[in-house]
C-alpha cells in the first residue's frame, strides 16, 4: 500500500505540473507582446517547449510505472515497480516546485497574484515531495532495493539494451549508472536515484516518441553540458501536442487578411481554454 501511495504522489505532482503548464501556454497564446503573441517570441517558445518536453518524459515513464503496478504478479514487473516508484516520487515531486515557478514567470506579475490559480498550485507542490517519505527517504529506499533485491542490474541492463545505440547521450548515461551501481555510495544516493529515473524516462521516450522528440529529450535531460536549443520542428510538435492538437505553428500574418487572423486566433483561444479545463 505504501508503494501505491508513493506512486499516487508522483501522479499528483505530475498533474499539478500539467495544470500549471496549461495555464502558462494559454496565457502565452493570447498575450500580445510587440505586436505578436507571446507564444511566437523565440525565447518564450524555447521555455514552453522545454517544459512540454519535460512533461512528455514524465508522462511516458508514469504510464510504464502504472503498467508495472497492474502486472505486479509478474516477478520482473514487481521488481521494476519496486525500484522505479520511489525514484519517480523523488524526481517528479522534487522537480514540480521549480516547474510551477517557471509557469508563474510566463504570466509575469499576475501569475503571483491570488487571482491566478498558480500561487495555490505553487503552495501545494511541496506536499507530495514530503508526504509518504521525503527526498532522502526515497533515495535510501532506492539504494535498499539495489543492495537487497536480486536481479536489479540484470533488469536495468535488459531494459536499457532495447534502446541502446539510438542516442549517444543516453548510452553515456547508462554506462555511468552501471559503473556507479557496482559499488553504490549512500552519499551519491540522490544522483543515482535521479539518474535511474531519467534513464527510465529516456527508455520510454526512445521506444515510443518520434526520433526527433526523443533525441531532443535525451540531449536536454542527459547532456551535462546543457546549452542546447530545440529545433523549430521539435518546438512545433511539442506545442501542438501540448494543446490537444490546436495548430500553434506560427501564423504568417503578412500572408493573411487581418480579419481572418483575428477570427482564427479567437477560435483557437476558445478551443484552448476548453482543453485547459481537462487538466483540473
Amino acid at each position: 500500500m505504501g508503494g501505491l501511495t508513493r506512486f499516487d504522489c508522483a501522479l499528483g505532482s505530475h498533474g499539478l505540473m500539467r495544470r500549471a503548464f496549461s495555464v502558462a501556454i494559454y496565457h502565452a497564446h493570447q498575450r500580445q507582446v510587440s505586436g505578436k503573441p507571446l507564444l511566437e517570441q523565440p525565447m518564450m517558445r524555447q521555455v514552453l517547449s522545454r517544459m512540454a518536453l519535460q512533461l512528455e518524459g514524465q508522462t511516458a515513464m508514469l504510464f510504464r510505472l502504472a503498467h508495472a503496478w497492474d502486472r505486479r504478479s509478474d516477478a520482473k514487473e514487481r521488481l521494476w515497480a519496486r525500484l522505479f516508484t520511489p525514484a519517480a516520487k523523488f524526481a517528479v515531486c522534487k522537480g514540480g516546485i521549480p516547474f510551477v515557478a517557471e509557469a508563474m514567470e510566463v504570466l509575469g506579475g499576475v501569475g503571483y497574484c491570488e487571482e491566478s490559480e498558480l500561487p495555490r498550485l505553487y503552495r501545494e507542490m511541496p506536499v507530495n515531495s514530503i508526504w509518504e517519505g521525503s527526498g532522502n527517504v526515497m533515495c535510501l529506499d532506492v539504494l535498499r532495493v539495489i543492495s537487497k533485491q536480486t536481479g536489479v542490474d540484470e533488469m536495468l541492463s535488459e531494459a536499457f539494451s532495447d534502446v541502446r545505440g539510438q542516442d549517444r547521450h543516453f548510452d553515456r548515461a547508462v554506462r555511468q549508472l552501471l559503473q556507479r551501481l557496482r559499488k553504490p555510495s549512500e552519499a551519491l544516493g540522490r544522483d543515482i536515484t535521479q539518474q535511474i529515473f531519467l534513464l527510465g524516462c529516456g527508455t520510454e521516450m526512445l521506444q515510443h516518441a518520434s526520433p526527433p522528440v526523443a533525441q531532443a529529450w535525451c540531449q536536454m535531460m542527459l547532456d551535462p553540458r546543457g546549452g542546447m536549443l530545440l529545433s523549430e520542428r521539435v518546438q512545433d510538435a511539442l506545442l501542438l501536442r501540448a494543446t490537444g492538437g490546436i495548430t500553434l505553428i506560427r501564423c504568417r500574418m503578412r500572408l493573411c487578411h487581418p480579419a481572418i487572423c483575428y477570427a482564427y486566433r479567437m477560435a483557437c483561444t476558445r478551443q484552448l481554454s476548453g482543453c485547459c479545463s481537462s487538466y483540473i
Side-chain angles (χ1 to χ4, degrees):
M1 290 301 294
L4 282 172
T5 305
R6 290 172 175 178
F7 179 43
D8 184 63
C9 288
L11 288 174
S13 292
H14 182 70
L16 293 174
M17 294 167 70
R18 279 199 168 275
R19 177 56 187 169
F21 178 69
S22 68
V23 172
I25 198 171
Y26 172 56
H27 174 84
H29 183 80
Q30 64 176 354
R31 177 78 166 89
Q32 294 285 325
V33 178
S34 300
K36 60 182 180 180
L38 184 60
L39 188 61
E40 295 181 10
Q41 306 291 340
M43 194 181 302
M44 183 55 67
R45 284 178 65 82
Q46 284 289 333
V47 169
L48 291 172
S49 298
R50 286 169 178 269
M51 295 174 74
L53 188 55
Q54 181 179 347
L55 289 176
E56 288 285 339
Q58 289 186 7
T59 300
M61 177 62 177
L62 292 172
F63 269 113
R64 175 64 181 88
L65 189 52
H67 177 81
W69 275 105
D70 277 346
R71 301 196 175 189
R72 58 187 181 275
S73 57
D74 179 86
K76 186 181 296 185
E77 292 295 322
R78 185 166 59 251
L79 180 58
W80 205 96
R82 180 68 183 89
L83 176 66
F84 279 95
T85 295
K89 182 184 181 301
F90 170 77
V92 176
C93 298
K94 185 73 68 175
I97 301 170
F99 188 94
V100 176
E102 187 74 78
M104 295 172 74
E105 287 198 28
V106 174
L107 273 69
V110 70
Y112 184 78
C113 299
E114 293 298 329
E115 285 76 5
S116 166
E117 66 183 273
L118 292 180
R120 176 175 60 84
L121 298 181
Y122 187 72
R123 290 193 298 269
E124 188 74 15
M125 282 306 304
V127 175
N128 287 328
S129 182
I130 300 168
W131 199 260
E132 286 294 335
S134 57
N136 281 0
V137 175
M138 294 299 98
C139 297
L140 289 172
D141 196 24
V142 168
L143 294 177
R144 184 183 300 113
V145 175
I146 293 171
S147 61
K148 300 293 185 182
Q149 299 283 342
T150 59
V152 173
D153 292 347
E154 293 80 3
M155 179 193 68
L156 290 176
S157 297
E158 181 181 347
F160 298 153
S161 64
D162 292 339
V163 294
R164 190 168 295 177
Q166 296 186 31
D167 184 85
R168 60 188 177 90
H169 304 294
F170 180 86
D171 293 345
R172 182 178 62 247
V174 168
R175 291 193 297 269
Q176 292 174 346
L177 176 64
L178 295 180
Q179 184 176 3
R180 284 177 169 177
L181 292 183
R182 294 174 185 170
K183 191 176 180 181
S185 169
E186 182 178 323
L188 292 174
R190 288 197 169 206
D191 294 333
I192 292 173
T193 301
Q194 183 76 14
Q195 198 165 22
I196 287 174
F197 174 77
L198 290 178
L199 287 173
C201 293
T203 300
E204 298 305 307
M205 291 294 287
L206 289 169
Q207 285 181 336
H208 303 294
S210 65
V213 172
Q215 290 168 4
W217 185 95
C218 289
Q219 185 175 1
M220 184 179 78
M221 303 301 293
L222 299 176
D223 187 356
R225 297 171 299 177
M228 61 91 67
L229 292 176
L230 298 177
S231 67
E232 289 288 334
R233 178 185 178 187
V234 171
Q235 289 180 47
D236 289 341
L238 289 168
L239 296 177
L240 178 67
R241 178 171 165 82
T243 52
I246 298 172
T247 303
L248 291 178
I249 299 175
R250 281 186 272 190
C251 178
R252 305 300 191 235
M253 295 189 67
R254 295 187 303 273
L255 304 179
C256 302
H257 190 279
I260 297 175
C261 282
Y262 178 78
Y264 165 76
R265 295 192 185 283
M266 290 301 100
C268 286
T269 299
R270 287 193 296 273
Q271 294 179 53
L272 186 54
S273 179
C275 86
C276 287
S277 63
S278 65
Y279 290 126
I280 297 179

